[in-house]
Amino acid sequence: MKITLEQVREEESIKSYIRKADESLVALGYTEHSFPHVCKVADTASRILKVLGYSDREAELAAIAGYLHDIGNVINRVDHAQSGAVMAFRILDRMNADPEDVATIITAIGNHDESTAFPVNPVAAALILADKTDVRRSRVRNQDMASFDIHDRVNYSVSQSKVLVDKEEISLKLEIDTQICSVMDYFEIFLNRMLLCKRSAAKLGIRFALIINDQKML
């Protein structure tokens, strides 16, 4: 059966895993990884492939991978991409999803985390780009600025974030309040992610650009 994004989003077990995974990350002090994040990643991953001329089906598979990509956090943050891929396989197999589709989705999920990530196919590349470019103030849950760690500062400093896509380039355009976080702080946290975005864009045959306060940094 050709599984749809709507079916995945309506599956109650998946909702529970996303919710409980985010609860674990709250306890660990991470930024938001719940429904706003996974929905944004799903939408961006799909949009990237659509703009680049991939099929509607490939775009939907990227959206499904984006929606499911962080469920492995319910087990542990460590190796959550691999845990999530195994969980997604069990869920999608139970939903009678087409094996070819399942393979594409779990390959993307299993290859999205920085420590082991690689854009092995277009869906994986789109997922990496969508996930690593989700930088925004609303992901910060800690409301006490005096106790911000560097991850909180970097995300909270972002007053505006846009992912722009055309057939030649994908760019992450940020407006950063440098009174909260310096550009160097941003690079300390996100340089590896941005280089991974560059490799993922190359897999899709385009360039990746990082623009901070109207200055092209990458």
Side-chain angles (χ1 to χ4, degrees):
M1 181 178 72
K2 294 294 184 183
I3 199 80
T4 66
L5 175 62
E6 189 61 31
Q7 287 173 298
V8 170
R9 293 182 68 160
E10 289 178 355
E11 174 60 40
E12 290 299 325
S13 65
I14 293 172
K15 294 178 185 177
S16 295
Y17 297 141
I18 293 172
R19 186 168 54 250
K20 299 299 286 187
D22 190 54
E23 285 179 15
S24 294
L25 295 185
V26 170
L28 291 168
Y30 281 83
T31 53
E32 180 267 319
H33 283 71
S34 190
F35 295 101
H37 173 61
V38 300
C39 289
K40 184 176 180 62
V41 171
D43 290 345
T44 302
S46 174
R47 176 164 60 91
I48 290 168
L49 293 190
K50 285 180 179 178
V51 169
L52 295 179
Y54 287 85
S55 69
D56 288 344
R57 186 57 186 161
E58 288 170 298
E60 183 161 42
L61 294 179
I64 293 170
Y67 192 77
L68 295 174
H69 79 282
D70 270 343
I71 58 174
N73 284 309
V74 76
I75 296 173
N76 198 293
R77 180 63 178 174
V78 177
D79 296 329
H80 76 280
Q82 289 75 30
S83 300
V86 174
M87 291 175 65
F89 167 78
R90 292 291 300 273
I91 295 166
L92 295 171
D93 186 57
R94 175 171 54 80
M95 295 174 72
N96 295 316
D98 177 75
E100 289 285 333
D101 290 347
V102 174
T104 299
I105 293 165
I106 64 174
T107 297
I109 294 171
N111 283 280
H112 88 270
D113 188 50
E114 290 99 299
S115 59
T116 55
F118 196 85
V120 293
N121 59 40
V123 170
L127 172 57
I128 290 168
L129 285 161
D131 183 38
K132 307 314 172 193
T133 56
D134 186 16
V135 186
R136 51 190 163 84
R137 178 170 293 180
S138 57
R139 294 193 70 184
V140 178
R141 289 185 273 224
N142 181 4
Q143 297 302 303
D144 179 13
M145 292 185 66
S147 65
F148 275 4
D149 64 15
I150 191 169
H151 293 87
D152 291 332
R153 289 202 313 276
V154 166
N155 280 278
Y156 195 81
S157 70
V158 178
S159 59
Q160 189 174 67
S161 174
K162 294 180 181 178
V163 178
L164 308 175
V165 188
D166 61 38
K167 291 186 179 297
E168 296 184 351
E169 183 175 88
I170 177 169
S171 58
L172 173 59
K173 187 174 183 180
L174 302 176
E175 293 294 329
I176 288 179
D177 183 344
T178 56
Q179 298 298 310
I180 299 172
C181 163
S182 71
V183 174
M184 286 303 296
D185 281 345
Y186 179 90
F187 272 101
E188 180 181 342
I189 295 299
F190 287 125
L191 179 58
N192 287 338
R193 298 183 191 182
M194 296 300 96
L195 293 175
L196 183 56
C197 285
K198 186 176 180 180
R199 289 196 293 272
S200 298
K203 177 68 176 181
L204 297 172
I206 58 174
R207 300 182 304 270
F208 174 75
L210 172 64
I211 303 167
I212 299 179
N213 294 349
D214 294 323
Q215 297 295 313
K216 193 167 185 177
M217 313 298 295
L218 186 68

